[in-house]
Amino acid sequence: PTDIPNFSICLADFGESKIFISEIEGYTLRNRGTEYNKSPEMLNVAYLSQKTKDNYDRNKKVGANAATDVWALGCLFFELLTCEFLFFDPDWVRFFIRITSGPDRKGIITPDKRTMLDNNPLLIDFLGYIFVCDHLYRPSLEQVIQKFKYLTK
């Protein structure tokens, strides 16, 4: 007998998903999913894609891409560990501002949520690694997998 299970776990989206042929076309403006698991860019997509707004730039890619999936995976990981949403706030405006205002890595996971993780520095660091508010600097799924493998050694 061994402590290492002889199986793998695969998570899949049974709601809506889309496969993109290339990274360049890999953006969507469709705003779907659980509000409290949405990335900053997904929360901003409706606002940033309005052509009537002063900050509209037709050359700027806005919307969700693979980085959005990494954010959602981090949210799911926290929820699997604690049975709670990481970013839930009954005040939706406060939630929106908190997520889209770009807090630093350490600040996005509040002290009460750290307590739910038993203040485990490895878990807090792992989640901090995932929750980079600027999607251009968020790690790829491959990088997250490597970090997780390092974490579990």
Side-chain angles (χ1 to χ4, degrees):
T2 178
D3 290 338
I4 301 172
N6 190 17
F7 61 88
S8 296
I9 296 175
C10 179
L11 301 175
D13 179 5
F14 295 107
E16 244 182 82
S17 61
K18 186 171 183 169
I19 297 173
F20 295 102
I21 295 171
S22 69
E23 184 74 26
I24 294 170
E25 79 162 30
Y27 282 84
T28 182
L29 297 176
R30 296 192 70 168
N31 194 349
R32 303 282 189 268
T34 305
E35 287 296 305
Y36 298 108
N37 290 347
K38 287 183 181 177
S39 64
E41 62 274 14
M42 198 71 243
L43 290 168
N44 277 319
V45 73
Y47 179 74
L48 294 175
S49 62
Q50 293 177 3
K51 293 179 182 177
T52 57
K53 299 291 182 187
D54 290 337
N55 64 345
Y56 176 74
D57 180 353
R58 68 182 176 88
N59 295 318
K60 185 177 181 184
K61 293 271 190 191
V62 296
N65 63 5
T68 300
D69 294 336
V70 168
W71 182 281
L73 180 64
C75 292
L76 179 60
F77 184 68
F78 181 87
E79 191 175 347
L80 287 170
L81 292 172
T82 66
C83 297
E84 299 282 339
F85 288 122
L86 176 57
F87 299 118
F88 176 79
D89 191 322
D91 181 340
W92 194 89
V93 173
R94 185 172 53 212
F95 155 75
F96 181 87
I97 291 169
R98 179 173 165 228
I99 300 303
T100 60
S101 65
D104 61 63
R105 279 182 171 195
K106 303 277 188 236
I108 200 156
I109 303 171
T110 59
D112 63 314
K113 300 299 183 176
R114 290 170 186 246
T115 300
M116 294 175 78
L117 296 169
D118 294 328
N119 288 305
N120 183 310
L122 293 174
L123 289 175
I124 292 167
D125 179 62
F126 178 68
L127 289 171
Y129 179 72
I130 291 173
F131 293 120
V132 176
C133 288
D134 186 336
H135 69 281
L136 297 174
Y137 298 104
R138 196 171 303 140
S140 68
L141 183 56
E142 291 79 18
Q143 291 169 319
V144 170
I145 289 168
Q146 290 306 313
K147 177 87 169 177
F148 185 78
K149 285 180 179 178
Y150 174 78
L151 177 77
T152 58
K153 286 184 178 180

